[in-house]
Amino acid sequence: MSIKRRHFLILGSLSSLGFAGVWKMFQLRTSWGTDTDAAVASKVEAERTIVPLPASPPILRFISVADTGTGAEGQYAVAEAMAQYHRENPFNVAVLAGDNIYNNGEIEKINAVFERPYQPLLQQNVKFYACLGNHDIRTANGDPQVKYAGFNMQGRYYTFRRDPVQFFALDTNHNADWKNQLVWLEKELSQSTAPWKVVFGHHPIYSSGVYGVNQPFIKTLTPLFKKYGVQLYINGHEHSYERTRSINGTTYLICGAGGGTREVGRSEWTEYSASRLSFATFDVYKDRMFVSSIGTDKRVFDRGSIEVRSA
């Protein structure tokens, strides 16, 4: 494979991974089946105390999930947990953070990997807002997905608002129009009057998984997050769950275990990480947002909070 065809995100992380990390990347073990980690939860996890949510209803509730589009058992198990959660805690916004169709973004698979597993949610008028992952651009550069009505994409990058949250979807792929996208992002962030700003893309910025820390994105994106008060960045690509502590005011959330799992470690800035089939939920209040992770057993295994004006 030529250098031009290699993903620049992977190149940006090689120096930090070293030889052992690179070798690990070529030995990725992915499960597209059942969530074995949930069945063997550690004693430490079992003893974790999950902070209860406030008794009052949130202003807005939404969910996120990524790396879903396998059409396999794992995806359907997560989808069923999402439907169960919706029955008890209604929401109408779902962030779909890329790799929506494996392996090559073939839109003809859309029924098996999207319409069928999420039918109960779609029938309840839940709107999915997608971005493109690296597998999605393998067919026609992802254009069929951009045009697919069910993904509600207004372009390869776009913004929408659901009071009090404004969402900003990015194309984080190696062939993205970065010059214009960064200009657009800064303009939209600077003009936003929303108290909550949530950015989502497929690729990680801070990660303890196989891809590691993304130095190019730390250089280009995190200064904008800090300058304009982005409280949350959501991504996939890593087939795991990881929530960071606030880093210069932004929490980084990986929710890429929507169809399969990979191993994940911990870093000094990690609040919690797990290799479990799961999705994330968000309960938004005036002064804080609660982030929860739910496994295929339909139980919350992590919860944290984000302040509306993090420092």
Side-chain angles (χ1 to χ4, degrees):
M1 184 181 293
S2 66
I3 292 296
K4 290 183 179 180
R5 291 179 61 194
R6 292 180 185 274
H7 203 295
F8 86 100
L9 298 173
I10 297 177
L11 287 175
S13 66
L14 293 184
S15 60
S16 62
L17 285 170
F19 177 80
V22 175
W23 180 246
K24 182 178 180 181
M25 289 174 64
F26 286 95
Q27 292 181 307
L28 299 183
R29 292 181 299 162
T30 300
S31 167
W32 300 116
T34 57
D35 186 4
T36 56
D37 295 286
V40 292
S42 68
K43 181 179 179 181
V44 173
E45 180 179 320
E47 294 176 349
R48 292 183 73 241
T49 300
I50 302 299
V51 178
L53 293 173
S56 58
I59 302 172
L60 177 72
R61 180 183 293 119
F62 67 98
I63 70 164
S64 70
V65 67
D67 299 87
T68 55
T70 67
E73 179 183 355
Q75 181 191 6
Y76 278 72
V78 174
E80 204 285 321
M82 290 163 57
Q84 175 64 35
Y85 178 78
H86 181 269
R87 288 190 287 270
E88 299 174 358
N89 305 276
F91 58 88
N92 57 21
V93 172
V95 168
L96 196 60
D99 279 0
N100 314 308
I101 306 175
Y102 284 103
N103 277 322
N104 300 304
E106 309 96 323
I107 197 66
E108 59 268 22
K109 293 182 178 179
I110 196 67
N111 181 258
V113 304
F114 179 72
E115 295 171 347
R116 193 187 308 158
Y118 308 122
Q119 183 179 29
L121 298 177
L122 295 170
Q123 289 177 338
Q124 294 297 317
N125 297 316
V126 173
K127 289 187 177 299
F128 285 75
Y129 293 87
C131 66
L132 296 174
N134 54 297
H135 283 267
D136 299 318
I137 63 172
R138 291 180 178 180
T139 295
N141 200 27
D143 288 342
Q145 292 193 41
V146 175
K147 297 174 182 177
Y148 174 63
F151 285 166
N152 291 289
M153 299 177 69
Q154 302 157 36
R156 304 184 77 85
Y157 49 90
Y158 61 98
T159 183
F160 65 98
R161 181 166 175 173
R162 295 292 180 271
D163 281 334
V165 181
Q166 185 162 355
F167 297 85
F168 305 83
L170 300 182
D171 177 3
T172 60
N173 287 291
H174 69 283
N175 62 347
D177 182 5
W178 282 104
K179 180 179 178 180
N180 289 320
Q181 183 172 209
L182 289 173
V183 171
W184 167 86
L185 179 61
E186 179 156 26
K187 178 182 177 182
E188 293 294 337
L189 287 172
S190 68
Q191 294 178 348
S192 175
T193 60
W196 290 99
K197 300 177 181 67
V198 174
V199 178
F200 66 96
H202 181 63
H203 295 87
I205 298 179
Y206 287 94
S207 168
S208 303
V210 297
Y211 295 105
V213 174
N214 190 321
Q215 292 295 344
F217 280 10
I218 289 177
K219 181 179 179 180
T220 57
L221 291 176
T222 63
L224 296 178
F225 295 173
K226 182 178 180 180
K227 182 177 181 180
Y228 297 107
V230 173
Q231 297 99 336
L232 177 64
Y233 176 76
I234 299 170
N235 68 272
H237 200 47
E238 301 281 15
H239 297 179
S240 55
Y241 170 84
E242 184 171 13
R243 177 173 60 88
T244 74
R245 298 180 176 90
S246 175
I247 302 174
N248 293 321
T250 305
T251 295
Y252 296 84
L253 188 86
I254 297 172
C255 58
T261 59
R262 289 193 191 123
E263 294 179 359
V264 61
R266 288 183 59 86
S267 302
E268 60 182 358
W269 29 259
T270 303
E271 190 67 35
Y272 189 74
S273 63
S275 177
R276 295 186 58 172
L277 287 168
S278 57
F279 67 101
T281 73
F282 307 83
D283 290 86
V284 184
Y285 293 82
K286 182 178 180 180
D287 62 337
R288 64 186 55 240
M289 177 190 302
F290 289 89
V291 182
S292 308
S293 52
I294 299 177
T296 53
D297 61 357
K298 305 177 180 63
R299 296 171 63 90
V300 174
F301 62 86
D302 176 57
R303 177 172 290 144
S305 64
I306 303 171
E307 295 182 0
V308 69
R309 296 187 182 276
S310 300

